């Protein structure tokens, strides 16, 4: 299978992640036909209208066997079911990848449901802002210059890994590798915890009687801090549950950090507050997003 | 004193807030001469070079008596000292305002140091992003379309309030009024707490052995959540201490919110997590920054 001759891609979930993958590979001229599956008829129809997919899939039996590549771009909690549905029809030359924000749980679902075909699945996580969702948010340029973390399995052949890396690179992404466990620890710290904290702040304020007054004075600091609190509740529920262990560990560390700050404030400990702020300001000020 | 004939403004602190005030009033053609005071010779020289101030002040005795308006745009912890220094020289027609992010403490400092001239001070807080600082960050447009909260004192005359409102409006701001206590409660919730939380997250990560690995995978969610963690450590130390009571109360509520989320995660309570995320997503998604 050469890249230029990718005859058919099947995508489960044609929203931001799946839709952008489709548009990017189309723009790269790398695919002849894209078939979409999904739970929402509305989203599928919109994906048709927007030229993201060529056809809406009717059954796994009809679509899976001759696909060159299958992308799972649904919320992670749905992936086990999808693995189970496609497993019986998987051709020997079909590769799978996914766009899930957690990896250990997706890998476990793959082992449980793909059986001896698990080597055809090369897990991936594209690091692309996902506070918007739906087919209408999909962009051919979404992955340009973004990182995609691939977390290969021992059962993957070098060729399978190379092909899946290439597909993501054709979307414009910079591909790097971690183990599934490493991936989940890293993203608990730099993505899942910040989302939880941002949701928590807006929820805290949303409960108040004077919430409209408060929000009327919120400015750019609040705006940016809470941008990710507009993210999909369902997706983030699933991510938090899927990466529960690592996230609980990160949340616990953060709660201890807040206890220290609460104590410093209670004691009016200017030096301690300034030291915390200074370290943060230096680290954040010199951080270059990659 | 008519606006067009503002002969002289004195500004303490010619960084982002004071410098932008100067540039905006210059652009509005509202002032003949601007004199700058400050602790940092470098900043004052830069403000001269950038055309923010016309002269660097030498002494309060020489500059304060004939000023039409004095703006205190230093960190709030320095304002008591400045009130004490200028009080002996304040002319009967000189108005004062400030750009401090907290109000109860600044008002207390004014009462303690201005004596029977306190009616000339109309406190203000311009709501303009302050994660950058220094004269080089000053912009004539900084206040365009931004809110400025004025917190009048019982001793202010209607004319004094109207004049100070007008100066801020000439900078392009929309002026509104709160009491100093209301102001501090509102901003503890929507500004001071988010800054503290953002500093805390970066500090938490900065302590780790694998901090560079973590930061290399941080993406746009992290970037926006932590933008305010690059803010001035000194300024935020002062704000946190100045508004300690209201901030401790907000921090306590937020810690309880995190305890609930920790419990929901521990119990894998999908419904509870989704409910919190859904409320947040709805409120944040429908919030229009004003």
């Amino acid at each position: 299978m050469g890249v230029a001759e990718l005859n058919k891609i099947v995508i489960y979930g044609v929203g931001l992640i799946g839709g952008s993958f489709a548009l990017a590979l189309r723009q790269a001229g790398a695919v002849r036909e894209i078939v979409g599956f999904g739970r929402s008829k509305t989203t599928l129809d919109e994906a048709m209208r927007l030229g993201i997919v060529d056809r809406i899939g009717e059954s796994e039996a009809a679509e899976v066997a001759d696909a060159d590549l299958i992308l799972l771009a649904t919320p992670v909690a749905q992936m086990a079911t999808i693995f189970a549905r496609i497993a019986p029809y998987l051709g020997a030359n079909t590769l799978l990848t996914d766009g899930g924000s957690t990896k250990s749980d997706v890998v476990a679902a793959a082992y449980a449901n793909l059986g001896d075909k698990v080597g055809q699945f090369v897990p991936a996580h594209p690091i692309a802002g996902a506070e918007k969702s739906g087919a209408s948010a999909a962009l051919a340029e979404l992955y340009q210059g973004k990182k995609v973390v691939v977390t290969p399995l021992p059962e993957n052949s070098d060729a399978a890994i190379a092909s899946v890396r290439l597909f993501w690179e054709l979307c414009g992404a910079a591909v790097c590798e971690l183990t599934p466990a490493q991936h989940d620890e890293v993203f608990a710290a730099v993505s899942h915890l910040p989302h939880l904290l941002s949701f928590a702040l807006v929820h805290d304020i949303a409960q108040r009687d004077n919430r409209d007054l408060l929000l009327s004075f919120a400015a750019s600091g609040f705006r940016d801090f809470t941008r990710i609190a507009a993210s999909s509740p369902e997706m983030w529920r699933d991510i938090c549950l899927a990466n529960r262990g690592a996230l609980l560990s990160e949340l616990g560390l953060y709660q201890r950090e807040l206890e220290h700050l609460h104590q410093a404030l209670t004691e009016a400990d200017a030096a301690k507050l300034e030291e915390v702020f200074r370290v943060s300001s230096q680290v954040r000020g010199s951080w270059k997003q990659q």
Side-chain angles (χ1 to χ4, degrees), chain A residues 48 50 83 111 113 123 127 136 138 140 180 200 283:
Chain A
M48 280 290 291
L50 295 168
F83 283 131
Y111 278 111
N113 292 286
I127 316 305
S136 60
V283 169

Side-chain angles (χ1 to χ4, degrees), chain A residues 65-160:
Chain A
D66 64 341
D68 297 305
L69 177 68
I70 300 175
L71 170 70
L72 276 62
T74 63
V76 288
Q78 297 169 32
M79 291 187 184
T81 308
I82 297 171
F83 283 131
R85 273 162 48 194
I86 62 182
Y89 308 105
L90 262 185
N93 295 318
T94 306
L95 290 175
L96 286 86
T97 188
D98 76 308
S101 303
T102 51
K103 294 274 72 73
S104 300
D105 63 316
V106 173
V107 166
Y111 278 111
N113 292 286
L114 292 179
D116 59 6
K117 296 174 181 168
V118 75
Q120 294 168 236
F121 173 54
V122 183
H125 172 202
I127 316 305
E131 75 283 359
K132 288 181 179 174
S133 52
S136 60
L139 294 168
E141 299 75 26
L142 184 70
Y143 303 117
Q144 285 290 343
K146 299 287 165 59
K147 274 205 178 74
V148 169
V149 183
V150 168
T151 65
L153 308 179
E155 291 83 356
N156 293 148
S157 67
D158 288 349

Side-chain angles (χ1 to χ4, degrees), chain A residues 101-104 125 149-152 176-190 192 243 246 250:
Chain A
S101 303
T102 51
K103 294 274 72 73
S104 300
H125 172 202
V149 183
V150 168
T151 65
C176 49
E177 293 188 16
L178 293 173
T179 69
Q182 278 175 330
H183 170 280
D184 286 358
E185 285 166 24
V186 166
F187 286 91
V190 300
H192 308 165
N243 200 20
E250 287 296 332

Side-chain angles (χ1 to χ4, degrees), chain A residues 130-132 191-207 222 224-240 247:
Chain A
E131 75 283 359
K132 288 181 179 174
S191 172
H192 308 165
L193 178 64
H195 277 81
L196 195 72
L197 300 179
S198 183
F199 280 127
L201 182 73
V202 176
H203 187 257
D204 177 12
I205 285 175
Q207 308 302 304
F222 179 88
D224 290 352
F225 186 94
T226 61
R227 183 178 61 80
I228 50 182
S231 303
S232 158
E234 185 184 33
M235 176 182 157
W236 280 95
R237 173 203 65 197
D238 288 354
I239 290 174
C240 290
L247 182 53

